Amino acid sequence: MTGLRVRPATPADFAAIARLTVAAYEADGQLKGEHGYGTVLADVATRAESGEVLVAEDGTGAVLGSVTFVLPGTRYAELSGPGEAEFRMLAVDPAAQGRGAGAALVRACLDRATERGCSAVVICVRRGMAETAQRLYERMGFVRTPEKDWSPVAGVELLALRLELPPA
């Protein structure tokens, strides 16, 4: 989509990010029977202290989606080890899906990982998440890494994906 831009989030974006992230996770069925994760998703200020929160906006400046980019050892890192980067909480406003915001946010994370000399990017996805999201990750080259699968709470199974980055 023309006019789509990814940039670092500012505090003025946090309310929109919180709203669209919770809405996207609810629309995907990922908050059914949840254990407080909606509150974590909505706490954009805390995420911004520990990682880099990015937004995708359209030509009018409307925030369409968001993601949090993190490095190993930081508060929101779940899977990343030495030399790996990770992104979390990728969400696109349900009303804006299909406009390229998700792919643009993933590309921005891959670019940041490359700039920092990382060898790979790892992410986890909830079993049963939307097929469109799974297809996006497959299309971008992520592959399943079952040895890193894990469960943060009973009834929530997270599947690991990894993308090797080309050497700098």
Side-chain angles (χ1 to χ4, degrees):
M1 172 186 171
T2 58
L4 193 62
R5 175 175 90 108
V6 175
R7 63 169 174 78
T10 67
D13 299 314
F14 291 177
I17 294 168
R19 179 196 58 74
L20 77 85
T21 304
V22 171
Y25 274 66
E26 283 177 342
D28 196 22
Q30 294 192 57
L31 295 183
K32 287 181 184 159
E34 63 110 345
H35 303 82
Y37 196 52
T39 303
V40 173
L41 293 172
D43 187 0
V44 181
T46 300
R47 282 194 269 151
E49 292 171 6
S50 303
E52 186 177 6
V53 179
L54 305 172
V55 294
E57 64 182 12
D58 66 13
T60 71
V63 174
L64 305 181
S66 177
V67 69
T68 302
F69 175 84
V70 298
L71 295 172
T74 58
R75 178 177 181 169
Y76 287 93
E78 295 177 324
L79 296 179
S80 53
E84 297 175 327
E86 184 171 349
F87 63 83
R88 302 268 322 274
M89 303 175 196
L90 175 68
V92 175
D93 189 318
Q97 291 182 0
R99 296 170 60 186
L105 289 163
V106 172
R107 279 193 297 277
C109 290
L110 300 179
D111 290 346
R112 279 163 173 70
T114 300
E115 290 165 6
R116 288 162 177 77
C118 296
S119 59
V121 175
V122 293
I123 59 172
C124 25
V125 298
R126 189 169 180 171
R127 182 179 295 282
M129 74 181 301
E131 286 184 28
T132 52
Q134 291 178 36
R135 283 194 303 271
L136 168 66
Y137 297 136
E138 287 173 13
R139 198 170 54 244
M140 299 199 84
F142 284 86
V143 295
R144 283 274 294 116
T145 313
E147 64 273 15
K148 286 192 167 206
D149 291 355
W150 67 292
S151 176
V153 293
V156 175
E157 187 178 357
L158 298 177
L159 309 178
L161 304 175
R162 189 170 200 272
L163 175 67
E164 292 284 332
L165 297 172

